Amino acid sequence: MAGAHHVLLVPGFFGFATLGEFAYFAHVRDFLAEALPAVGVKGEVEVVHTLPTASLDRRAALLAETAAGL
């Protein structure tokens, strides 16, 4: 989306974006998807799928790759 903001949700160390059918950020993502347009902010909310036990360098690289692809 041209000119859009991107909100990236990143799980913490040993954090999981999903665990089985449980989506860690589901409520946050839903809230932001509704709240941002309500205040006039165009954008997309993305969950960054990192590797929970990867090194900080690897997790940062995955975050950078995700951001670069937006």
Side-chain angles (χ1 to χ4, degrees):
M1 176 184 311
H5 296 278
H6 296 277
V7 177
L8 302 177
L9 304 175
V10 184
F13 190 65
F14 284 124
F16 294 87
T18 57
L19 184 58
E21 293 184 26
F22 176 74
Y24 184 78
F25 289 118
H27 293 94
V28 175
R29 186 177 190 171
D30 292 346
F31 172 79
L32 291 173
E34 185 176 318
L36 292 175
V39 295
V41 176
K42 290 192 312 185
E44 297 182 24
V45 180
E46 304 284 338
V47 176
V48 178
H49 296 281
T50 61
L51 305 170
T53 58
S55 69
L56 184 57
D57 288 343
R58 180 65 182 130
R59 293 167 52 81
L62 288 169
L63 176 57
E65 290 169 16
T66 301
L70 298 176

